[in-house]
Amino acid sequence: MASTSLLPKITPFLTNPSSLSSTHFTKPSFLNPLSPDHHSACAKKPTTTTVLHANKKNPWLDPFDDGEDPEMEYGSLFADGKQEEDPRPPDNPNNPYGFLKFPKGYSVEIASLPLKIRGDVRRCCCVISGGVYENLLFFPAIQLIKDRYPGVQIDVLASPRGKQTYELNKNVRWANDYDPDDDWPEPAEYVDMLGILKNRYYDMVLSTKLAGLGHASFLFMTSARDRVSYIHPNVNAAGAGLLLSETFTPDITNLAEGGYHMYHQMLDWLGRPFRSVPRHTVPPLRVSISRKLKEFVEAKYRAAGAEKGKYIVIHGIESDSKASMQSRGDTDSLLPLQVWAEIAKDIRAFKPVFVIPHEKERENVEEIVGDDTSIVMITTPGQLAALINDSAGVIATNTAAIQLANAREKPSIALFGSIEKGRLFIPNAEEKKCSIVSSKTGKLKDIDVGDVKQAMHILDLSLALA
């Protein structure tokens, strides 16, 4: 009779929610919330419940998982501090299949214990939504992952335009061409990419695409241990949380509208403190340019009649080319050529160099600005970064050029349709030697050329250095 008293009386499941708390369900003494032991425990730890719920992981996975025990001590060297460099031997270059790349569970003797206990990340894949601008602003997140997990190998999945950006990032091992924004991908490409990702055995997959059930299924089928992604802030996110380890719900449906800090939720999670590891600060945007790329671009602008350190880059000409490198969060970010011609007349100490995204724009520039105008066709962010690196400054609209100028610490003048949008995309502009000029009507084409002329005093420092 004592054993049968512990068994609950079977009632129809979820037919009456109040039946769960009725007297028909008899709990053991160690699970009974009304027991004296429970009251004494609650008296000792009055804030335990709130702390546990604050650290709760994805509620879709386990509604009864309250996170880690805050009173548990981790004193072992295998579970404390940052991860160490990967102790596994390097790949065999003579073997086309690599060396010691076994599936999980087949070579546990070479996998360190912290890989499971501490959650070390040896291989990470970042699925980046958007074009050049959005991928460029993800560089601080990649650097944060590199600092947080020493020895990690980072791969990237991006659109064809976004993949070009990683010519400027030395922390990325492989960058694959796959557009995550394509809602109807080719079945052969979809399955092939899944096979590639599964064979790399990632520990963590990050995605900046707002995930629904379809994209969450794609991340789930990569077989990664940690699947982290943004999800839709509406009903389109239904079911996505069941397949993801960590989710972020943004306030808007287009992350690019968040400006420079568009990935702040993911950055906050990546830099979170963990046991004895302190919180990591978000590094600034930085890019690296190869010597070969510098030499190639130098030959280009010298052929256009410009000299190193004695020209101003003008970027943001109105064009229908996909190489304009504008942000998806600012559709009004290209200026008509007639306005650029008036701005170029006020540049006295330096030679203006017009950057065109397509060769068809060359005739328009020569006709409106002049036949002796220096024109350079730039289609990749790497070439644009090299051109800006050798310049005296930049005058640009809200394109990747203004962010590259800040990354290379070049003085710049940024043209925006509104001052609010300028502060959103370029925070702390004074520290970055950037002067924001906004339109008074809210439209970029109505910008006052006189205000741009007054802002050119920021280029005087480059004149003194030259």
Side-chain angles (χ1 to χ4, degrees):
M1 297 296 292
S3 60
T4 57
S5 63
L6 297 177
L7 298 176
K9 294 182 179 181
I10 300 176
T11 58
F13 185 68
L14 292 182
T15 55
N16 187 7
S18 62
S19 62
L20 295 177
S21 59
S22 63
T23 57
H24 295 286
F25 187 85
T26 306
K27 294 183 179 180
S29 59
F30 61 89
L31 294 177
N32 191 356
L34 300 178
S35 61
D37 296 337
H38 177 79
H39 286 294
S40 61
C42 292
K44 294 179 182 179
K45 299 182 293 181
T47 61
T48 302
T49 304
T50 57
V51 173
L52 292 178
H53 283 288
N55 296 333
K56 180 179 286 189
K57 298 180 180 179
N58 190 348
W60 288 94
L61 300 180
D62 188 357
F64 302 102
D65 182 13
D66 290 326
E68 298 182 357
D69 188 355
E71 296 186 352
M72 184 176 293
E73 297 181 359
Y74 299 90
S76 173
L77 295 177
F78 291 101
D80 232 8
K82 283 188 178 183
Q83 70 180 34
E84 299 176 354
E85 296 287 341
D86 198 345
R88 290 177 288 186
D91 294 344
N92 184 4
N94 299 323
N95 187 350
Y97 300 101
F99 182 64
L100 291 179
K101 285 186 177 180
F102 299 107
K104 288 183 289 188
Y106 283 87
S107 56
V108 294
E109 68 278 1
I110 63 174
S112 58
L113 184 61
L115 197 64
K116 180 64 178 176
I117 298 179
R118 190 174 50 199
D120 289 355
V121 178
R122 299 299 184 190
R123 297 174 182 174
C124 176
C125 180
C126 302
V127 184
I128 313 300
S129 172
V132 170
Y133 204 109
E134 289 75 25
N135 281 266
L136 186 64
L137 291 184
F138 195 76
F139 278 22
I142 294 176
Q143 184 62 50
L144 182 59
I145 297 172
K146 202 75 176 178
D147 297 339
R148 178 64 177 80
Y149 303 102
V152 64
Q153 294 178 338
I154 302 175
D155 301 335
V156 166
L157 216 64
S159 63
R161 294 293 308 171
K163 177 187 174 182
Q164 297 176 342
T165 314
Y166 296 96
E167 187 180 13
L168 301 170
N169 197 316
K170 61 181 179 180
N171 293 325
V172 174
R173 180 180 61 162
W174 294 327
N176 289 89
D177 175 9
Y178 182 82
D179 191 1
D181 298 320
D182 189 2
D183 295 330
W184 303 100
E186 291 291 334
E189 296 179 3
Y190 185 86
V191 176
D192 180 64
M193 185 52 63
L194 275 177
I196 291 175
L197 298 182
K198 285 176 68 70
N199 290 336
R200 292 177 180 174
Y201 305 109
Y202 289 115
D203 298 318
M204 182 169 64
V205 174
L206 302 174
S207 176
T208 64
K209 174 182 169 61
L210 299 187
L213 185 59
H215 187 60
S217 302
F218 177 82
L219 300 178
F220 180 80
M221 288 187 287
T222 60
S223 302
R225 183 194 64 204
D226 299 329
R227 301 169 299 278
V228 184
S229 176
Y230 284 90
I231 60 175
H232 287 281
N234 46 38
V235 295
N236 293 323
L242 294 171
L243 305 176
L244 300 174
S245 306
E246 187 73 26
T247 59
F248 311 110
T249 305
D251 299 329
I252 50 181
T253 57
N254 184 11
L255 285 181
E257 295 179 1
Y260 183 83
H261 297 295
M262 56 189 296
Y263 305 118
H264 69 94
Q265 291 175 305
M266 183 174 287
L267 289 171
D268 183 70
W269 181 81
L270 288 172
R272 67 195 184 282
F274 184 73
R275 296 173 189 168
S276 62
V277 180
R279 171 169 289 279
H280 280 66
T281 58
V282 181
L285 174 63
R286 291 291 181 264
V287 295
S288 57
I289 309 172
S290 65
R291 184 182 61 181
K292 184 178 181 180
L293 190 59
K294 290 180 180 179
E295 294 175 353
F296 177 77
V297 174
E298 184 178 0
K300 268 194 169 185
Y301 68 72
R302 285 190 180 277
E307 298 182 11
K308 184 176 181 180
K310 297 182 180 181
Y311 64 90
I312 297 294
V313 176
I314 293 181
H315 192 269
I317 297 175
E318 190 174 30
S319 175
D320 57 353
S321 175
K322 293 183 178 179
S324 298
M325 306 183 199
Q326 62 186 48
S327 171
R328 293 194 305 178
D330 187 8
T331 56
D332 185 21
S333 58
L334 297 178
L335 202 59
L337 193 55
Q338 292 78 5
V339 183
W340 280 121
E342 297 180 9
I343 295 175
K345 293 178 181 178
D346 297 327
I347 302 177
R348 302 297 181 186
F350 300 98
K351 188 176 186 63
V353 173
F354 285 78
V355 178
I356 57 175
H358 197 276
E359 195 64 34
K360 65 181 181 182
E361 305 293 342
R362 184 180 296 272
E363 295 182 2
N364 298 332
V365 176
E366 292 177 350
E367 180 182 354
I368 297 176
V369 183
D371 295 336
D372 57 343
T373 307
S374 297
I375 305 173
V376 177
M377 190 185 74
I378 296 293
T379 58
T380 66
Q383 296 179 13
L384 182 60
L387 182 68
I388 292 174
N389 185 65
D390 289 349
S391 69
V394 177
I395 304 177
T397 56
N398 189 19
T399 62
I402 205 68
Q403 299 295 345
L404 290 172
N406 296 333
R408 300 304 297 180
E409 298 180 351
K410 292 289 182 178
S412 58
I413 300 175
L415 311 181
F416 284 89
S418 63
I419 189 63
E420 293 80 10
K421 188 156 290 186
R423 294 171 180 171
L424 190 65
F425 281 87
I426 309 179
N428 304 322
E430 294 79 9
E431 299 177 2
K432 299 177 180 179
K433 297 185 292 185
C434 178
S435 178
I436 299 177
V437 180
S438 61
S439 174
K440 299 177 182 178
T441 63
K443 296 182 180 180
L444 185 61
K445 64 179 181 180
D446 298 332
I447 197 166
D448 191 358
V449 180
D451 295 341
V452 180
K453 184 178 179 180
Q454 293 179 0
M456 288 185 183
H457 68 276
I458 199 171
L459 304 175
D460 294 341
L461 178 60
S462 297
L463 179 62
L465 293 176

